[in-house]
Amino acid sequence: MTSFWLALLAKMVASAAVVVAASLVVERSGPVIGALVATLPISAGPAFAFLALDHSPEFLARSTLASLAVNAGTAPFILLYASLAQRFGLLVSLGAALLVWSGLAAALSVLAPGIGTAAALNALSYGGAYLLSHPYRRAARPVRAPARWWDLPARAATVMGLAATVVLAGRWLGPQAAGIAALLPVVLTSLVLVLHPRIGGPATAAVLANSIPGMVGFTTALAILHLTVVPLGSAAALLLALAICIGWNAGLLAMTLRSARRTRAGRSSSAR
């Protein structure tokens, strides 16, 4: 039990660190870079690592298959929040998105699709969300709230509370429930809770809309983890999945920076 509580504390601290870091990056560098930080597997990664410490590779394989199916519901969550946040406040926008995610997660967990069907559902979900989220990806002008001394501690406490809830809910409920709990949109939800009051709904929506390409890399890593955890073992498969996530987001970052350089060069040429 001591190791469990230490692991829980580690997950809470890690999740809080990435959300606070991502929120600060968003406020200073814009939604694209912030979205790349937010879509690293800081929430799901520790959850799967903790499962691997306590259970067999076969258990982890069943959990990741459940996670992959539920992951298809994250794209509608992002799209609905981004759409509603243009006109409504935090409670309506995030509440409706979480309600839709919960319904989709329940339906997908009952259907329990195989790896091929789950992969196809994710491809359709994220492909459609990417096309439909185009109007929301352009960063709106942030409406910044005044800085307060307790702002950063409040951000961290919010995320740590959500992370603890996820781990405790999935602890003793079997591989499917653990897989679903691991894929709760903790980081994205926490990021909304932090940023929406701070910079406004449209600017926060731009962060989530720009997270869709990063989520594609995470989805790919999740599928690879499911396929490799039994033949390679938990440690090797988890490291491979992490490398895929980091490599994918690094590639997206390189493309973003290259596009920004070309835009600046074009403006300089026009000015001359």
Side-chain angles (χ1 to χ4, degrees):
M1 289 300 294
T2 301
S3 62
F4 167 72
W5 292 112
L6 288 175
L8 174 60
L9 179 61
K11 177 175 172 59
M12 292 166 64
V13 172
S15 298
V18 73
V19 172
V20 170
S23 64
L24 291 174
V25 167
V26 168
E27 293 177 10
R28 289 163 173 75
S29 304
V32 176
I33 307 300
L36 292 177
V37 174
T39 52
L40 290 172
I42 302 299
S43 176
F48 289 130
F50 301 153
L51 288 176
L53 290 173
D54 293 336
H55 301 284
S56 67
E58 289 77 13
F59 184 100
L60 189 57
R62 294 195 298 273
S63 294
T64 51
L65 181 57
S67 295
L68 185 63
V70 170
N71 186 62
T74 303
F77 164 85
I78 292 171
L79 186 61
L80 183 58
Y81 169 79
S83 174
L84 292 176
Q86 307 301 314
R87 294 168 293 165
F88 298 102
L90 173 63
L91 183 61
V92 171
S93 304
L94 183 58
L98 285 172
L99 186 63
V100 167
W101 184 92
S102 300
L104 290 172
L108 290 167
S109 64
V110 170
L111 292 173
I115 180 64
T117 303
L121 286 173
N122 276 275
L124 289 172
S125 180
Y126 284 98
Y130 182 78
L131 294 175
L132 293 173
S133 66
H134 177 74
Y136 313 124
R137 290 199 293 272
R138 186 181 297 274
R141 184 180 180 86
V143 181
R144 297 186 185 278
R148 297 153 294 194
W149 68 266
W150 48 265
D151 191 46
L152 284 179
R155 300 182 196 192
T158 299
V159 181
M160 291 174 74
L162 284 171
T165 300
V166 170
V167 174
L168 293 173
R171 170 67 173 169
W172 293 288
L173 300 178
Q176 186 177 32
I180 294 170
L183 260 289
L184 276 166
V186 173
V187 170
L188 293 178
T189 298
S190 302
L191 204 57
V192 170
L193 288 172
V194 167
L195 289 178
H196 193 123
R198 175 90 174 126
I199 64 174
T204 307
V207 179
L208 262 66
N210 279 287
S211 73
I212 293 175
M215 287 298 299
V216 173
F218 173 77
T219 303
T220 303
L222 195 57
I224 295 299
L225 177 59
H226 169 72
L227 293 171
T228 61
V229 66
V230 173
L232 296 182
S234 298
L238 284 167
L239 288 173
L240 176 60
L242 178 61
I244 290 171
C245 287
I246 294 175
W248 180 273
N249 279 21
L252 291 175
L253 177 60
M255 292 172 59
T256 300
L257 295 176
R258 188 181 304 117
S259 176
R261 284 196 296 268
R262 289 175 178 172
T263 301
R264 287 195 297 269
R267 289 174 179 171
S268 299
S269 300
S270 299
R272 287 196 294 268

